[in-house]
Amino acid sequence: MTQMLEAVSIVKSFGAIRVLEDVTVTVRKGEIVGLLGPNGAGKTTLLNIMAGYETQNSGTVSIDGGCIDSLPPEARTKAGLARTFQSGRLFPELSVTENVVLGAIGAGASIKVANRRALDALEMLGLTAVMMQPATGLSHGLSRLVGLARALTANPEYLIMDEPAAGLNNHETPALLAALESIQRESGCGMLLIEHNVGLVADACSRVFVLASGELLFEGPPEDALADEAVLSAYLGDATMGLPGGIA
Amino acid sequence: MSNGLLPSRQLIGVTRFHWQQLLGPIVVVIAVSYLTSGVSASFSYLTEGALALLVMVLSLQVFIGNSGVLSFGQAAFAMVGGFASGLLTAPVKIKENVLDGLWEPLKAVNMGIWPSLVIAVLVGALFAFVTGLLLMRLSGLAAGIATFALLMVADNVFFNWKLIGPGPQVMPQVPKFAFVDESIVLTVIVIIVVYFFGISRRGRLLRATREDALAARALGASVWHLRVLFFTVSGGIAALSGAMYAHHAGAVTARDFYLGFTFTTLAMLIIGGASSLWGAVVGTILVTAIGQVLLVLEGGVTFGSVEVTLPNGARGLVIAAALVVILIWRPKGVTGGKEFNLPFLNRKSAAAHDSHVQRTDANMNIKP
Ligand SMILES: Nc1ncnc2c1ncn2[C@@H]1O[C@H](COP(=O)(O)OP(=O)(O)OP(=O)(O)O)[C@@H](O)[C@H]1O
Ligand SMILES: [Mg+2]
């Protein structure tokens, strides 16, 4: 069986509002997949369901064929599924390094190993300049990156990232994507990358899913997404959609 | 991507162990204990009692300080420990004469102080574990109220159930510690245990859950498991405190570990700074010292021509007022929640021309 992270036929409502309508997303081991869509499409909700922070009304989430629906978030992390938060969610009282170290400690590493992995992750993401700073003072973009470094130190099998590139500039975003690609090459981690901006991640992703208003509009290679009628109309009026390096 | 200048790799990250943070409080406790107990026999007695209280404050620190969950119920475990150790060591004759309702096997058993302390700790930890399985599902206000309910239940049970203790009576003739040294040794052991739990991997994760439980869960931290573990450790230490108190006073009653005890020890923790071991030590010393000064003043003191006599109860009032002042103006306590740290004692190797490195070094264990 192929090793993959699957969210199959996910339906989710908040009260009377249907937020996800029969959505299926898969991420194979060693693959970077984009999950794209305009504001309010349901991307974060789907991520929360995969990570165990929300319960779906129907559908299943599984890792390498094993259903994980009954597992709480921390057990999913232990099962190899790490996540980041759209808002970073760093521990405000700790420094950047201390935050990142905790990712490895949570995954069971000794403090010595955790220190080493933290430094590797910080170097990889170009965060060494801020590593001694307190986590509170960071910009949103940097907080998310530190959050990503923290998730990476757990050496996850699958990593789902909520808009890690938001708030980064035209130089930082390609550098982030390059770092993700090299992590994926080295560790074979399967990654789901949430992004608002289709053009931005096209190069890094082997496949993309496009979500709008809770429905899956498109699944396939990123270059086809940019030519897809339904995708284009979902993004109608959103000038940043197709422009690589545009500010989302 | 940007790249800062890197200090040598070994110096980066969190330290596993910082000798100052452990030895500082130990040295202070030993020094203060011998200094005060050397003054007179009554000071020696007082010191012994204060050490039992310090162990209780350390029990509160290891749970409340690391988890951020306020518990009003730890005194219940002190009650368990005090009763267990008292019953196991009191002479069989006394138990037969005074405690007629006592369960027969408890009447018959008699052992030395040290084995009874071990059993008290184990029983306290077991009670904390069992109650913690349930209570640790709660957070915030609900946890505060539920742990308070635990204290009420324990008080009612011990005050009324003569099968397991003296009920409303005093249990007399509990053998006393011969020297203050025993209490000092026990306290130092507890300081070591509390320190290593605090800097352990689990201690760090638990402190992360205190700051942001959702983010900590994403790192694999099970909030419930971690809290139950630390609640259990705290229960064992609280039981030791109760037992130390019983062997200090030579007698024990359920009311020794009720509201006054709970309030005083919590005030000590918060005044000193709940998030550090050093805060627990400082808070206990400060509150005990202030309490003693006020006690003397309540008895009346003459300064030159002026006689000062404080009304009875002034002690409780001043400590309560100090608690409020701290909560408003210095919520992290007088230590700021930091561990013991004298910068000039830091090893030269942190040589660290890199002040940053030292900062991280110090930080991880200190943070509230
Ligand atoms: N807890 C909730 N209760 C009610 N409605 C919610 C809740 N969480 C999300 N929603 C709604 O669900 C929809 C999808 O939200 P979601 O956060 O998943 O979108 P998103 O694609 O991540 O958007 P963005 O790009 O802005 O992050 C939105 O309409 C949002 O208002
Ligand atoms: Mg979102």
Side-chain angles (χ1 to χ4, degrees):
Chain A
M1 177 201 311
T2 41
Q3 293 189 305
M4 59 177 166
L5 168 65
E6 295 170 282
V8 179
S9 308
I10 302 293
V11 175
K12 175 69 183 175
S13 319
F14 290 110
I17 307 161
R18 184 56 57 105
V19 177
L20 292 172
E21 185 73 72
D22 192 21
V23 174
T24 297
V25 166
T26 55
V27 183
R28 280 185 226 107
K29 197 95 200 296
E31 176 186 44
I32 302 182
V33 175
L35 176 59
L36 309 162
N39 280 320
K43 305 181 294 291
T44 298
T45 304
L46 182 61
L47 187 160
N48 280 338
I49 289 171
M50 293 170 102
Y53 285 78
E54 300 272 9
T55 313
Q56 65 273 34
N57 298 85
S58 67
T60 54
V61 181
S62 59
I63 294 180
D64 300 343
C67 174
I68 58 170
D69 287 332
S70 61
L71 300 183
E74 58 272 20
R76 295 188 192 200
T77 304
K78 292 235 161 81
L81 174 62
R83 73 164 293 176
T84 70
F85 294 89
Q86 192 163 359
S87 54
R89 290 200 94 123
L90 303 182
F91 303 113
E93 301 263 358
L94 302 180
S95 75
V96 166
T97 305
E98 287 159 357
N99 262 280
V100 176
V101 166
L102 278 172
I105 289 179
S110 71
I111 287 173
K112 190 171 164 194
V113 171
N115 278 336
R116 204 181 59 230
R117 280 199 214 157
L119 189 55
D120 288 342
L122 288 165
E123 279 174 349
M124 180 74 96
L125 296 175
L127 292 167
T128 48
V130 296
M131 62 196 287
M132 301 305 177
Q133 287 183 19
T136 28
L138 300 180
S139 68
H140 290 300
L142 277 179
S143 305
R144 265 191 292 266
L145 276 191
V146 174
L148 175 57
R150 187 173 68 181
L152 280 171
T153 57
N155 284 349
E157 310 265 308
Y158 298 98
L159 175 61
I160 45 187
M161 295 166 272
D162 204 347
E163 302 204 21
L168 301 185
N169 66 31
N170 314 0
H171 305 293
E172 290 163 342
T173 304
L176 167 66
L177 296 174
L180 290 179
E181 283 174 300
S182 85
I183 292 162
Q184 171 245 339
R185 267 195 311 275
E186 279 173 29
S187 71
C189 176
M191 301 183 186
L192 182 65
L193 179 63
I194 292 187
E195 179 51 52
H196 187 82
N197 189 318
V198 182
L200 211 54
V201 295
D203 289 344
C205 297
S206 53
R207 292 185 298 141
V208 298
F209 293 84
V210 182
L211 204 57
S213 307
E215 289 187 55
L216 202 57
L217 295 185
F218 176 88
E219 174 192 347
E223 49 284 6
D224 294 358
L226 289 168
D228 189 272
E229 288 278 322
V231 173
L232 287 175
S233 67
Y235 271 99
L236 204 65
D238 189 338
T240 64
M241 182 280 282
L243 305 175
I247 311 295
Chain B
M1 290 191 165
S2 61
N3 229 320
L5 267 183
L6 284 181
S8 114
R9 283 184 74 108
Q10 286 74 32
L11 290 177
I12 295 171
V14 304
T15 34
R16 273 167 290 173
F17 171 72
H18 214 276
W19 63 270
Q20 255 203 66
Q21 297 177 347
L22 176 60
L23 288 188
I26 290 178
V27 168
V28 168
V29 165
I30 293 178
V32 172
S33 297
Y34 280 119
L35 278 176
T36 54
S37 62
V39 173
S40 68
S42 71
F43 263 75
S44 177
Y45 183 76
L46 176 81
T47 305
E48 205 178 81
L51 287 168
L53 281 182
L54 173 55
V55 169
M56 187 63 199
V57 179
L58 289 165
S59 142
L60 297 174
Q61 199 278 325
V62 80
F63 176 68
I64 298 174
N66 288 311
S67 72
V69 177
L70 191 53
S71 171
F72 295 102
Q74 304 313 85
F77 308 121
M79 234 180 264
V80 169
F83 271 52
S85 194
L87 282 171
L88 292 173
T89 53
V92 176
K93 260 220 171 70
I94 297 290
K95 286 189 274 189
E96 275 168 355
N97 293 339
V98 186
L99 311 178
D100 43 354
L102 195 65
W103 191 41
E104 288 302 327
L106 272 179
K107 266 187 197 168
V109 67
N110 184 263
M111 61 177 71
I113 291 182
W114 292 94
S116 84
L117 293 178
V118 174
I119 294 179
V121 168
L122 293 177
V123 174
L126 180 69
F127 268 76
F129 175 72
V130 172
T131 51
L133 288 177
L134 213 65
L135 291 173
M136 295 302 104
R137 299 203 167 274
L138 304 171
S139 291
L141 195 55
I145 291 171
T147 51
F148 190 68
L150 171 69
L151 178 65
M152 308 295 282
V153 169
D155 177 69
N156 271 301
V157 168
F158 282 110
F159 199 73
N160 293 302
W161 199 16
K162 294 185 162 188
L163 194 68
I164 54 159
Q169 289 164 269
V170 174
M171 187 161 99
Q173 299 272 354
V174 176
K176 290 193 186 188
F177 286 128
F179 309 101
V180 73
D181 310 55
E182 286 126 322
S183 297
I184 294 176
V185 168
L186 289 167
T187 307
V188 168
I189 293 172
V190 170
I191 288 176
I192 294 171
V193 169
V194 168
Y195 180 71
F196 280 103
F197 267 95
I199 64 161
S200 67
R201 292 178 42 250
R202 288 186 175 80
R204 291 168 198 272
L205 282 175
L206 184 59
R207 279 201 301 283
T209 71
R210 181 186 67 185
E211 287 192 39
D212 184 338
L214 282 187
R217 295 181 78 179
L219 307 183
S222 165
V223 180
W224 183 58
H225 285 169
L226 291 167
R227 285 184 185 167
V228 168
L229 173 66
F230 279 71
F231 195 71
T232 304
V233 172
S234 168
I237 296 172
L240 178 64
S241 162
M244 285 169 68
Y245 181 81
H247 297 297
H248 153 74
V252 62
T253 81
R255 291 287 144 93
D256 287 337
F257 308 106
Y258 197 39
L259 296 175
F261 177 81
T262 299
F263 178 78
T264 306
T265 49
L266 274 173
M268 287 169 164
L269 179 68
I270 291 163
I271 287 172
S275 49
S276 69
L277 164 62
W278 179 229
V281 171
V282 169
T284 308
I285 294 176
L286 264 184
V287 172
T288 306
I290 294 171
Q292 284 313 302
V293 171
L294 293 171
L295 187 67
V296 172
L297 290 177
E298 281 178 15
V301 175
T302 322
F303 297 105
S305 57
V306 192
E307 201 195 305
V308 181
T309 307
L310 292 180
N312 286 341
R315 246 186 332 157
L317 254 167
V318 169
I319 289 168
L323 180 63
V324 172
V325 166
I326 289 280
L327 283 173
I328 294 173
W329 282 290
R330 205 170 157 85
K332 288 179 181 173
V334 294
T335 62
K338 295 196 186 344
E339 291 298 357
F340 183 92
N341 183 35
L342 293 177
F344 68 89
L345 285 180
N346 282 335
R347 61 204 146 108
K348 344 94 210 164
S349 65
H353 349 292
D354 199 318
S355 57
H356 295 315
V357 175
Q358 279 180 323
R359 263 211 33 229
T360 342
D361 249 14
N363 272 358
M364 190 75 187
N365 300 320
I366 296 173
K367 289 302 184 169

